[in-house]
Amino acid sequence: MNNYNKIITYAKENNGYITTKESEIINVNSIFLSNLVNDKRLERVGPGIYKLPEYPIDNFYILSKSSKNMCYSHATALYLHNMSDRIPLVYDITVPYNYSGNLLNNENVSLRYVKEDIFKLGMTDIKTINNLTVKCYDLERTLCDIIKDKNRMDKEIYSKALKEYARKKDKDVLKLIKYSKKLDVEEEVVELMEVLL
């Protein structure tokens, strides 16, 4: 299999996408990516991120590949968990305090900063609508985050998410309480759960 076919095959197996890093993993020089872009067999959709033309643009995936130290949170996480039907126009992303990546200059991103020790708390992999994997906080962490930031949240999205969570059969209230202690919102979380459950 030649290098061009290797790239196309890899991208097809990854729902249409390949990055410069991934081309290195399959031992293909990034010059071959550029050649495929010139031949219009591949599109460059972000720094070091490429996709096959017949596959849809996935902004969640493209943003997640532009920085390894990020996690979808707040209203964006609710959307990824199917707890909100409002497609994000601005993406809520949480990063560690010392973050200095290229998301800083992205006007479609709303950054939240947290201490390193709680950055990974509740981080999980989730599939986008195009079946691509991105980092996102689990539901319990997301709930703690929106409760903590309720003054910055859209009221409709906020109250709908709380009601939806209360109705969920697979909710993990113990995990929610554990997270709420670490995130300093235990009182608010317990109070809300008493009302909702």
Side-chain angles (χ1 to χ4, degrees):
M1 190 188 293
N2 71 26
N3 285 335
Y4 295 116
N5 289 340
K6 266 189 184 175
I7 290 170
I8 302 288
T9 303
Y10 183 94
K12 279 184 177 162
E13 286 168 1
N14 190 40
N15 295 305
Y17 284 77
I18 185 165
T19 63
T20 309
K21 281 189 186 119
E22 289 161 347
S23 76
E24 286 165 14
I25 293 165
I26 58 170
N27 295 321
V28 177
N29 189 301
S30 60
I31 194 83
F32 290 97
L33 292 166
S34 303
N35 291 344
L36 283 170
V37 170
N38 293 336
D39 290 347
K40 304 218 178 325
R41 291 173 65 199
L42 210 57
E43 294 170 357
R44 185 176 178 272
V45 289
I49 309 161
Y50 302 83
K51 77 168 193 73
L52 297 169
E54 64 271 22
Y55 283 80
I57 281 274
D58 189 319
N59 289 322
F60 291 100
Y61 186 73
I62 294 165
L63 267 178
S64 78
K65 284 294 179 187
S66 66
S67 185
K68 63 177 189 299
N69 246 352
M70 59 84 78
C71 188
Y72 286 113
S73 61
H74 297 77
T76 305
L78 289 173
Y79 176 79
L80 287 167
H81 282 290
N82 294 319
M83 296 277 283
S84 163
D85 48 14
R86 210 174 296 172
I87 300 166
L89 299 173
V90 173
Y91 299 87
D92 294 311
I93 292 174
T94 295
V95 293
Y97 273 123
N98 60 0
Y99 179 80
S100 61
N102 59 8
L103 291 173
L104 291 170
N105 310 320
N106 192 322
E107 59 200 29
N108 297 322
V109 167
S110 169
L111 287 181
R112 308 295 214 290
Y113 296 89
V114 293
K115 291 184 189 135
E116 192 72 53
D117 61 330
I118 57 166
F119 172 60
K120 291 205 163 120
L121 180 74
M123 195 186 282
T124 187
D125 285 339
I126 198 165
K127 295 279 190 196
T128 69
I129 197 165
N130 301 309
N131 210 27
L132 290 151
T133 305
V134 297
K135 294 274 176 227
C136 177
Y137 286 126
D138 65 17
L139 214 38
E140 283 70 24
R141 166 70 191 256
T142 300
L143 239 60
C144 289
D145 282 342
I146 69 166
I147 290 166
K148 194 178 182 115
D149 271 0
K150 69 173 174 286
N151 297 334
R152 287 173 67 184
M153 292 292 299
D154 176 290
K155 288 189 176 29
E156 197 184 316
I157 291 174
Y158 176 79
S159 59
K160 182 175 181 268
L162 291 175
K163 285 174 193 152
E164 290 265 323
Y165 184 77
R167 278 199 295 266
K168 273 182 117 32
K169 296 214 177 355
D170 59 346
K171 62 184 166 291
D172 189 337
V173 179
L174 289 177
K175 192 201 273 183
L176 182 69
I177 301 299
K178 190 179 100 185
Y179 286 173
S180 72
K181 285 178 184 165
K182 289 193 174 168
L183 296 162
D184 289 331
V185 282
E186 188 183 3
E187 217 173 286
E188 294 97 310
V189 167
V190 169
E191 224 168 85
L192 278 165
M193 288 303 120
E194 280 172 356
V195 172
L196 290 163
L197 298 177

